[in-house]
Structures are given as C-alpha cells and as structure tokens.
Coordinates of all heavy atoms in Angstrom, one line a residue:
M1 N 89.0 15.7 84.0 CA 88.1 15.2 84.9 C 87.7 16.3 85.9 O 88.5 17.1 86.3 CB 88.7 14.0 85.6 CG 87.7 13.3 86.5 SD 88.6 11.8 87.1 CE 87.3 11.0 87.9
L2 N 86.4 16.4 86.2 CA 86.0 17.5 87.1 C 86.5 17.4 88.5 O 86.8 18.5 89.1 CB 84.4 17.5 87.1 CG 83.7 17.9 85.9 CD1 82.2 17.7 86.0 CD2 84.1 19.4 85.5
L3 N 86.8 16.2 89.0 CA 87.4 16.1 90.3 C 88.7 16.8 90.4 O 89.0 17.6 91.3 CB 87.5 14.6 90.7 CG 88.3 14.4 92.0 CD1 87.5 15.0 93.2 CD2 88.4 12.9 92.2
E4 N 89.5 16.6 89.3 CA 90.8 17.3 89.3 C 90.7 18.8 89.1 O 91.5 19.5 89.7 CB 91.7 16.7 88.1 CG 92.0 15.2 88.3 CD 92.5 14.5 87.0 OE1 92.4 15.2 86.0 OE2 92.8 13.4 87.1
Q5 N 89.7 19.2 88.3 CA 89.6 20.7 88.1 C 88.9 21.4 89.3 O 89.3 22.5 89.5 CB 88.7 20.9 86.8 CG 89.4 20.4 85.6 CD 88.4 20.5 84.4 OE1 87.3 20.9 84.5 NE2 88.9 20.1 83.2
T6 N 88.0 20.7 90.0 CA 87.3 21.4 91.1 C 87.7 21.0 92.5 O 87.4 21.7 93.4 CB 85.8 21.2 90.9 OG1 85.5 19.8 91.1 CG2 85.3 21.6 89.6
G7 N 88.3 19.8 92.6 CA 88.6 19.3 93.9 C 87.4 18.7 94.6 O 87.5 18.3 95.8
S8 N 86.3 18.6 93.8 CA 85.1 18.0 94.4 C 84.6 16.9 93.6 O 84.7 16.9 92.3 CB 84.0 19.1 94.5 OG 84.4 20.2 95.3
K9 N 83.9 15.9 94.2 CA 83.2 14.9 93.5 C 81.9 15.5 93.1 O 81.2 16.1 93.9 CB 83.0 13.7 94.4 CG 84.3 12.9 94.7 CD 84.0 11.7 95.5 CE 85.3 11.0 95.9 NZ 85.1 9.8 96.7
I10 N 81.5 15.2 91.9 CA 80.2 15.7 91.3 C 79.4 14.5 91.0 O 79.8 13.6 90.2 CB 80.4 16.6 90.1 CG1 81.2 17.8 90.6 CG2 79.1 17.0 89.5 CD1 81.6 18.8 89.5
Y11 N 78.2 14.4 91.5 CA 77.3 13.3 91.2 C 76.1 13.8 90.4 O 75.7 14.9 90.5 CB 76.8 12.7 92.5 CG 77.9 12.1 93.4 CD1 78.5 12.8 94.4 CD2 78.3 10.8 93.2 CE1 79.5 12.3 95.1 CE2 79.3 10.2 94.0 CZ 79.9 11.0 94.9 OH 80.9 10.5 95.7
G12 N 75.5 12.9 89.6 CA 74.3 13.2 88.9 C 73.3 12.1 89.1 O 73.6 11.0 89.5
K13 N 72.0 12.5 88.9 CA 71.0 11.5 89.0 C 70.4 11.1 87.7 O 70.2 12.0 86.8 CB 69.8 12.0 89.9 CG 70.2 12.2 91.3 CD 69.1 12.7 92.3 CE 67.8 13.0 91.7 NZ 66.8 13.5 92.6
A14 N 70.2 9.9 87.4 CA 69.7 9.4 86.1 C 68.3 9.0 86.3 O 68.0 7.8 86.3 CB 70.6 8.3 85.6
E15 N 67.4 9.9 86.4 CA 66.0 9.6 86.7 C 65.4 8.8 85.6 O 64.5 8.0 85.8 CB 65.2 10.9 86.8 CG 65.6 11.8 88.0 CD 65.2 11.3 89.4 OE1 64.5 10.3 89.5 OE2 65.6 12.0 90.3
F16 N 65.9 8.9 84.4 CA 65.4 8.2 83.2 C 65.6 6.7 83.4 O 65.0 5.9 82.7 CB 66.0 8.6 81.9 CG 67.5 8.4 81.8 CD1 68.0 7.2 81.3 CD2 68.4 9.3 82.3 CE1 69.4 7.0 81.2 CE2 69.8 9.1 82.2 CZ 70.3 7.9 81.7
Q17 N 66.4 6.2 84.4 CA 66.7 4.8 84.6 C 65.7 4.2 85.6 O 65.8 3.0 85.9 CB 68.1 4.6 85.0 CG 69.1 4.9 83.9 CD 70.5 4.5 84.2 OE1 70.9 4.4 85.3 NE2 71.3 4.2 83.2
H18 N 64.7 4.9 86.1 CA 63.7 4.3 86.9 C 62.9 3.4 86.0 O 62.9 3.5 84.8 CB 62.8 5.4 87.4 CG 63.4 6.3 88.5 ND1 63.8 5.8 89.7 CD2 63.6 7.6 88.5 CE1 64.3 6.8 90.4 NE2 64.2 7.9 89.7
P19 N 62.2 2.4 86.7 CA 61.4 1.4 85.9 C 60.5 2.0 84.9 O 60.3 1.5 83.8 CB 60.7 0.6 87.0 CG 61.5 0.8 88.2 CD 62.2 2.1 88.1
G20 N 59.8 3.1 85.3 CA 58.9 3.8 84.3 C 59.5 4.8 83.5 O 58.9 5.5 82.7
G21 N 60.8 5.1 83.7 CA 61.5 6.1 82.9 C 61.3 7.5 83.2 O 61.5 8.4 82.4
S22 N 60.8 7.7 84.4 CA 60.4 9.1 84.8 C 60.7 9.4 86.2 O 60.8 8.5 87.1 CB 58.8 9.2 84.6 OG 58.4 10.5 85.2
I23 N 60.9 10.7 86.5 CA 61.2 11.2 87.9 C 59.9 10.9 88.7 O 60.0 10.8 89.9 CB 61.5 12.7 87.9 CG1 62.0 13.1 89.2 CG2 60.3 13.5 87.4 CD1 62.6 14.5 89.3
K24 N 58.8 10.8 88.1 CA 57.5 10.5 88.8 C 57.5 9.1 89.5 O 56.7 8.9 90.4 CB 56.3 10.6 87.9 CG 56.2 11.9 87.2 CD 55.8 13.0 88.1 CE 55.6 14.3 87.3 NZ 54.5 15.1 87.7
D25 N 58.4 8.2 89.1 CA 58.4 6.9 89.7 C 58.7 7.0 91.2 O 58.2 6.3 92.0 CB 59.4 6.0 89.0 CG 59.1 5.7 87.6 OD1 57.9 6.0 87.1 OD2 59.9 5.1 86.9
R26 N 59.7 7.8 91.5 CA 60.1 8.0 92.9 C 59.0 8.6 93.7 O 58.7 8.2 94.8 CB 61.4 8.9 93.0 CG 62.1 8.8 94.3 CD 63.5 9.2 94.2 NE 63.8 10.1 93.2 CZ 64.0 11.5 93.4 NH1 63.8 12.0 94.5 NH2 64.3 12.2 92.3
A27 N 58.3 9.6 93.1 CA 57.1 10.2 93.8 C 56.0 9.1 94.0 O 55.4 9.1 95.1 CB 56.6 11.3 93.0
A28 N 55.8 8.3 93.0 CA 54.8 7.2 93.1 C 55.1 6.3 94.3 O 54.2 5.9 95.1 CB 54.7 6.4 91.8
V29 N 56.3 5.9 94.5 CA 56.7 5.1 95.6 C 56.4 5.8 97.0 O 55.8 5.2 97.9 CB 58.2 4.7 95.6 CG1 58.6 4.0 96.9 CG2 58.4 3.8 94.4
G30 N 56.7 7.1 97.0 CA 56.4 7.9 98.2 C 55.0 8.0 98.5 O 54.5 7.9 99.7
I31 N 54.2 8.2 97.5 CA 52.7 8.3 97.6 C 52.2 7.0 98.2 O 51.4 7.0 99.1 CB 52.0 8.7 96.3 CG1 52.4 10.2 96.0 CG2 50.5 8.5 96.4 CD1 52.0 10.5 94.5
F32 N 52.6 5.9 97.6 CA 52.2 4.6 98.0 C 52.5 4.3 99.4 O 51.7 3.9 100.2 CB 52.8 3.5 97.0 CG 52.5 2.1 97.6 CD1 51.3 1.5 97.3 CD2 53.4 1.5 98.3 CE1 51.0 0.2 97.8 CE2 53.2 0.2 98.8 CZ 51.9 -0.4 98.6
L33 N 53.8 4.5 99.8 CA 54.2 4.2 101.1 C 53.5 5.0 102.2 O 53.1 4.5 103.2 CB 55.8 4.4 101.2 CG 56.6 3.4 100.4 CD1 58.1 3.7 100.5 CD2 56.4 1.9 100.9
D34 N 53.3 6.3 101.9 CA 52.6 7.2 102.8 C 51.1 6.7 103.0 O 50.6 6.6 104.1 CB 52.6 8.6 102.2 CG 51.9 9.6 103.2 OD1 52.4 9.7 104.3 OD2 50.9 10.1 102.8
A35 N 50.5 6.3 101.9 CA 49.1 5.9 101.9 C 48.9 4.6 102.7 O 48.0 4.4 103.5 CB 48.5 5.8 100.5
E36 N 49.9 3.7 102.4 CA 49.8 2.4 103.1 C 50.1 2.5 104.6 O 49.4 1.9 105.4 CB 50.9 1.4 102.4 CG 50.7 0.0 102.9 CD 51.6 -0.9 102.1 OE1 52.8 -0.7 102.1 OE2 51.1 -1.9 101.6
E37 N 51.1 3.3 104.9 CA 51.4 3.6 106.3 C 50.3 4.2 107.1 O 50.1 3.8 108.3 CB 52.7 4.5 106.4 CG 53.1 4.8 107.8 CD 54.3 5.8 107.8 OE1 55.3 5.5 107.2 OE2 54.2 6.8 108.5
K38 N 49.5 5.1 106.5 CA 48.4 5.7 107.1 C 47.1 4.9 107.0 O 46.1 5.4 107.5 CB 48.2 7.1 106.5 CG 49.4 8.0 106.9 CD 49.2 9.4 106.2 CE 50.3 10.3 106.6 NZ 50.3 11.6 105.9
G39 N 47.2 3.7 106.4 CA 46.0 2.9 106.3 C 45.0 3.3 105.3 O 43.8 2.9 105.3
R40 N 45.4 4.2 104.4 CA 44.4 4.7 103.4 C 44.2 3.7 102.2 O 43.2 3.8 101.5 CB 44.9 6.0 102.8 CG 44.9 7.1 103.8 CD 45.4 8.4 103.3 NE 45.3 9.4 104.3 CZ 46.0 10.5 104.3 NH1 46.9 10.7 103.3 NH2 45.9 11.4 105.2
I41 N 45.2 2.7 102.1 CA 45.0 1.7 101.1 C 45.3 0.3 101.8 O 46.1 0.3 102.7 CB 45.9 1.8 99.8 CG1 47.4 1.9 100.2 CG2 45.5 3.1 99.1 CD1 48.3 1.9 99.0
K42 N 44.5 -0.7 101.4 CA 44.7 -2.0 102.0 C 44.6 -3.1 100.9 O 43.9 -2.9 99.9 CB 43.6 -2.2 103.0 CG 43.7 -1.3 104.2 CD 42.6 -1.5 105.2 CE 42.8 -0.5 106.3 NZ 41.7 -0.2 107.1
H43 N 45.3 -4.2 101.1 CA 45.3 -5.3 100.1 C 43.9 -5.7 99.9 O 43.0 -5.7 100.8 CB 46.1 -6.4 100.6 CG 47.6 -6.2 100.4 ND1 48.2 -6.4 99.1 CD2 48.6 -5.8 101.2 CE1 49.4 -6.2 99.2 NE2 49.7 -5.8 100.4
G44 N 43.6 -6.1 98.6 CA 42.3 -6.6 98.3 C 41.4 -5.5 97.8 O 40.3 -5.8 97.2
R45 N 41.8 -4.3 97.9 CA 41.0 -3.2 97.4 C 41.6 -2.6 96.1 O 42.7 -2.9 95.8 CB 40.9 -2.1 98.5 CG 40.2 -2.6 99.7 CD 39.7 -1.5 100.6 NE 39.0 -2.0 101.7 CZ 38.8 -1.3 102.8 NH1 39.2 -0.1 102.9 NH2 38.1 -1.8 103.8
T46 N 40.8 -1.8 95.4 CA 41.3 -1.2 94.2 C 41.6 0.2 94.4 O 40.8 1.0 95.0 CB 40.2 -1.4 93.1 OG1 39.9 -2.8 92.9 CG2 40.6 -0.8 91.8
V47 N 42.7 0.6 93.8 CA 43.2 2.0 93.9 C 42.8 2.7 92.6 O 43.0 2.2 91.5 CB 44.7 2.1 94.1 CG1 45.1 3.6 94.1 CG2 45.1 1.4 95.4
V48 N 42.2 3.9 92.7 CA 41.7 4.6 91.5 C 42.5 5.9 91.4 O 42.7 6.6 92.3 CB 40.2 4.9 91.5 CG1 39.8 5.7 90.3 CG2 39.4 3.7 91.7
E49 N 43.1 6.2 90.2 CA 43.9 7.3 89.9 C 43.4 8.1 88.7 O 43.1 7.4 87.7 CB 45.4 6.9 89.8 CG 46.3 8.0 89.3 CD 46.6 9.1 90.3 OE1 46.2 9.0 91.4 OE2 47.1 10.1 89.9
G50 N 43.3 9.4 88.8 CA 42.9 10.2 87.6 C 44.1 11.1 87.3 O 44.6 11.8 88.1
T51 N 44.6 10.9 86.1 CA 45.8 11.7 85.7 C 45.9 11.8 84.2 O 45.4 11.0 83.4 CB 47.1 11.0 86.3 OG1 48.2 11.8 85.9 CG2 47.2 9.6 85.8
A52 N 46.7 12.8 83.7 CA 47.0 12.9 82.3 C 48.6 13.0 82.2 O 49.0 13.2 81.1 CB 46.4 14.1 81.7
G53 N 49.3 12.9 83.3 CA 50.7 13.0 83.2 C 51.4 11.6 83.3 O 50.9 10.6 82.9
N54 N 52.7 11.7 83.8 CA 53.4 10.4 83.9 C 53.3 9.7 85.3 O 53.8 8.6 85.4 CB 54.9 10.7 83.7 CG 55.2 11.2 82.3 OD1 54.5 10.8 81.4 ND2 56.3 11.9 82.1
A55 N 52.6 10.4 86.2 CA 52.5 9.7 87.5 C 51.7 8.4 87.4 O 52.0 7.5 88.2 CB 51.7 10.7 88.5
D56 N 50.8 8.3 86.5 CA 50.0 7.1 86.4 C 50.9 5.9 86.1 O 50.7 4.8 86.6 CB 48.9 7.2 85.4 CG 49.3 7.8 84.0 OD1 50.6 8.0 83.9 OD2 48.5 8.0 83.2
I57 N 51.9 6.1 85.3 CA 52.8 5.0 84.9 C 53.6 4.5 86.1 O 53.7 3.3 86.4 CB 53.7 5.3 83.7 CG1 52.9 5.6 82.5 CG2 54.8 4.3 83.5 CD1 53.7 6.2 81.3
G58 N 54.1 5.5 86.9 CA 54.9 5.2 88.1 C 54.0 4.5 89.1 O 54.4 3.5 89.7
L59 N 52.7 5.0 89.3 CA 51.8 4.3 90.2 C 51.4 2.9 89.8 O 51.4 2.0 90.6 CB 50.6 5.2 90.4 CG 50.8 6.5 91.2 CD1 49.6 7.4 91.1 CD2 51.1 6.2 92.6
A60 N 51.2 2.7 88.5 CA 50.9 1.4 88.0 C 52.0 0.4 88.3 O 51.8 -0.7 88.7 CB 50.6 1.4 86.5
H61 N 53.3 0.9 88.1 CA 54.4 0.0 88.5 C 54.4 -0.4 89.9 O 54.6 -1.6 90.3 CB 55.7 0.8 88.2 CG 56.3 0.6 86.8 ND1 56.9 -0.5 86.4 CD2 56.3 1.4 85.8 CE1 57.3 -0.4 85.1 NE2 56.9 0.8 84.7
V62 N 54.2 0.6 90.8 CA 54.2 0.4 92.2 C 53.1 -0.6 92.7 O 53.3 -1.5 93.4 CB 54.2 1.7 93.0 CG1 54.1 1.4 94.5 CG2 55.4 2.5 92.8
F63 N 51.9 -0.2 92.2 CA 50.7 -1.0 92.6 C 50.9 -2.5 92.1 O 50.5 -3.4 92.9 CB 49.4 -0.4 92.1 CG 49.1 0.9 92.8 CD1 48.7 2.0 92.0 CD2 49.3 1.1 94.1 CE1 48.4 3.2 92.7 CE2 49.0 2.3 94.8 CZ 48.6 3.3 94.0
R64 N 51.4 -2.7 90.9 CA 51.6 -4.0 90.4 C 52.6 -4.8 91.3 O 52.4 -5.9 91.7 CB 52.0 -4.0 89.0 CG 52.2 -5.4 88.4 CD 52.6 -5.4 87.0 NE 52.7 -6.7 86.5 CZ 53.3 -7.0 85.3 NH1 53.9 -6.1 84.6 NH2 53.3 -8.3 84.9
A65 N 53.7 -4.1 91.6 CA 54.8 -4.7 92.4 C 54.3 -5.1 93.8 O 54.7 -6.1 94.4 CB 56.0 -3.8 92.5
K66 N 53.3 -4.3 94.3 CA 52.8 -4.5 95.7 C 51.6 -5.4 95.7 O 51.0 -5.6 96.8 CB 52.6 -3.2 96.4 CG 53.9 -2.4 96.6 CD 54.8 -3.1 97.6 CE 56.0 -2.2 97.9 NZ 56.8 -2.8 99.0
G67 N 51.1 -5.7 94.6 CA 49.9 -6.6 94.5 C 48.5 -5.9 94.6 O 47.6 -6.6 95.0
Y68 N 48.5 -4.7 94.3 CA 47.2 -3.9 94.3 C 46.6 -3.9 93.0 O 47.3 -3.8 92.0 CB 47.4 -2.5 94.8 CG 47.7 -2.4 96.3 CD1 48.9 -2.7 96.8 CD2 46.7 -2.0 97.2 CE1 49.2 -2.6 98.2 CE2 46.9 -1.9 98.6 CZ 48.2 -2.2 99.0 OH 48.4 -2.1 100.4
K69 N 45.2 -3.8 92.9 CA 44.5 -3.6 91.7 C 44.5 -2.0 91.5 O 44.4 -1.3 92.4 CB 43.1 -4.1 91.8 CG 43.0 -5.6 91.9 CD 41.5 -6.0 92.0 CE 41.4 -7.5 92.1 NZ 40.0 -7.9 92.2
C70 N 44.6 -1.6 90.2 CA 44.7 -0.2 89.9 C 43.8 0.1 88.7 O 43.8 -0.6 87.7 CB 46.1 0.1 89.6 SG 46.5 1.8 89.2
V71 N 43.0 1.2 88.9 CA 42.2 1.7 87.8 C 42.7 3.1 87.5 O 42.8 3.9 88.4 CB 40.7 1.7 88.1 CG1 39.9 2.3 87.0 CG2 40.2 0.3 88.4
I72 N 43.0 3.4 86.2 CA 43.4 4.7 85.8 C 42.4 5.4 84.9 O 42.0 4.8 83.9 CB 44.8 4.6 85.0 CG1 45.8 3.9 85.8 CG2 45.2 6.0 84.6 CD1 46.5 4.6 86.9
F73 N 42.0 6.6 85.3 CA 41.1 7.4 84.5 C 42.0 8.5 83.8 O 42.8 9.2 84.5 CB 40.0 8.1 85.3 CG 38.9 7.1 85.7 CD1 39.0 6.4 86.9 CD2 37.9 6.8 84.9 CE1 38.1 5.5 87.3 CE2 36.9 5.9 85.2 CZ 37.0 5.3 86.4
M74 N 41.8 8.7 82.5 CA 42.6 9.7 81.8 C 41.8 10.3 80.7 O 40.9 9.7 80.2 CB 43.9 9.1 81.3 CG 43.8 8.0 80.3 SD 45.3 7.4 79.6 CE 46.1 6.7 81.0
P75 N 42.2 11.5 80.2 CA 41.5 12.1 79.0 C 41.6 11.2 77.8 O 42.6 10.4 77.6 CB 42.2 13.4 78.8 CG 43.0 13.7 80.1 CD 43.3 12.3 80.7
N76 N 40.7 11.4 76.9 CA 40.7 10.6 75.6 C 41.9 11.0 74.7 O 42.1 10.4 73.7 CB 39.4 10.8 74.9 CG 38.3 10.1 75.6 OD1 38.5 9.2 76.3 ND2 37.1 10.6 75.4
T77 N 42.6 12.1 75.1 CA 43.7 12.6 74.3 C 45.0 11.8 74.5 O 46.0 12.1 73.8 CB 44.0 14.1 74.6 OG1 44.2 14.2 76.0 CG2 42.8 14.9 74.2
Q78 N 45.0 10.9 75.4 CA 46.3 10.1 75.7 C 46.5 9.1 74.6 O 45.6 8.6 73.9 CB 46.1 9.4 77.0 CG 46.0 10.4 78.2 CD 47.1 11.3 78.4 OE1 48.3 10.9 78.6 NE2 46.9 12.6 78.2
S79 N 47.8 8.8 74.3 CA 48.2 7.9 73.2 C 47.8 6.5 73.5 O 47.7 6.0 74.7 CB 49.7 8.0 73.0 OG 50.4 7.4 74.0
Q80 N 47.6 5.7 72.4 CA 47.3 4.3 72.6 C 48.4 3.6 73.2 O 48.3 2.6 73.9 CB 46.9 3.7 71.2 CG 46.4 2.3 71.3 CD 45.2 2.1 72.1 OE1 44.2 2.8 71.9 NE2 45.2 1.2 73.0
E81 N 49.7 4.0 72.9 CA 50.9 3.4 73.5 C 50.9 3.5 75.0 O 51.2 2.5 75.7 CB 52.1 4.0 72.9 CG 52.4 3.7 71.4 CD 51.6 4.6 70.5 OE1 50.9 5.6 70.9 OE2 51.7 4.4 69.3
K82 N 50.4 4.6 75.5 CA 50.4 4.8 76.9 C 49.3 3.9 77.6 O 49.5 3.3 78.6 CB 50.1 6.3 77.3 CG 50.1 6.6 78.8 CD 50.0 8.1 79.0 CE 50.1 8.3 80.5 NZ 50.0 9.7 80.8
I83 N 48.2 3.9 76.9 CA 47.1 3.0 77.4 C 47.6 1.6 77.4 O 47.3 0.8 78.4 CB 45.8 3.2 76.5 CG1 45.3 4.6 76.7 CG2 44.8 2.1 76.8 CD1 44.2 5.0 75.7
D84 N 48.2 1.1 76.3 CA 48.7 -0.2 76.2 C 49.8 -0.5 77.3 O 49.8 -1.6 77.9 CB 49.4 -0.5 74.9 CG 48.4 -0.5 73.7 OD1 47.1 -0.6 74.0 OD2 48.8 -0.4 72.6
L85 N 50.6 0.4 77.6 CA 51.6 0.3 78.7 C 51.0 0.1 80.0 O 51.3 -0.8 80.8 CB 52.6 1.4 78.7 CG 53.6 1.5 79.8 CD1 54.5 0.2 79.8 CD2 54.5 2.7 79.8
L86 N 50.0 1.0 80.3 CA 49.3 0.9 81.6 C 48.6 -0.5 81.7 O 48.6 -1.1 82.8 CB 48.4 2.0 81.8 CG 49.0 3.4 82.0 CD1 48.0 4.5 81.8 CD2 49.6 3.5 83.4
S87 N 48.0 -0.9 80.6 CA 47.3 -2.2 80.7 C 48.3 -3.3 80.9 O 48.0 -4.3 81.7 CB 46.6 -2.4 79.3 OG 45.5 -1.5 79.2
M88 N 49.5 -3.2 80.2 CA 50.5 -4.2 80.4 C 51.0 -4.3 81.9 O 51.3 -5.3 82.4 CB 51.7 -3.9 79.5 CG 52.8 -5.0 79.6 SD 54.2 -4.5 78.5 CE 54.9 -3.2 79.5
L89 N 50.9 -3.1 82.5 CA 51.3 -3.1 83.9 C 50.2 -3.5 84.9 O 50.4 -3.5 86.1 CB 51.8 -1.6 84.3 CG 53.1 -1.2 83.6 CD1 53.3 0.3 83.8 CD2 54.3 -2.0 84.1
G90 N 49.1 -3.9 84.3 CA 48.0 -4.5 85.1 C 47.0 -3.5 85.5 O 46.0 -3.9 86.2
A91 N 47.1 -2.3 85.0 CA 46.1 -1.3 85.4 C 44.9 -1.4 84.4 O 45.0 -1.8 83.3 CB 46.6 0.1 85.2
E92 N 43.7 -1.2 84.9 CA 42.5 -1.1 84.1 C 42.4 0.4 83.7 O 42.4 1.3 84.5 CB 41.3 -1.5 84.9 CG 40.0 -1.4 84.1 CD 38.8 -1.8 85.0 OE1 38.9 -2.6 85.9 OE2 37.7 -1.3 84.7
V93 N 42.3 0.6 82.4 CA 42.3 2.0 81.9 C 40.9 2.3 81.3 O 40.4 1.5 80.5 CB 43.4 2.2 80.8 CG1 43.4 3.6 80.3 CG2 44.7 1.8 81.3

C-alpha cells in the first residue's frame, strides 16, 4: 500500500465518473454558475453554445438540470451518437 511505503495518503480524481463522463462537466458547472451569478442567463431564455468538443455534453447536462433551454451548434463531422445524446439531454442540435 502506498501509505505504508510513502507515509502519505495519495488521492486520485475519477473525472470519468462525472454525469457526462468528462472533465468538462466540472467546467460546465462553473461556466453556468458564473453566468447565472452575473445575470448573463435567466430562466425562460435559451442558451446557445457552439462547440465541437465535450463541453457541449457537460453544458447540456447542467442546463437540463437547471431548467434552461439549450441549442448546440456543431460541425457536420460530429457523430450521430453524440447528436442523439445531446438531444436526449434536451438540447436542440
């Protein structure tokens, strides 16, 4: 055990266990909370995101959980599975 060998507790982060399976999920929560706190987004309005990475999945999770409408714009090169997942999360793709 590493504790016995080093005398220190060693911790690891399992980012893959976030709801969207990505480190970007935590960033999405931060982006959302910052925008909401500063009044940049308000209930009843639609949030629009343009992305080709994993941030869109994290944002779709957060917006759905918080009751916001979400529209995602992405390149045509994205997989149908990703489009289906975003749609399942309530985003308009």
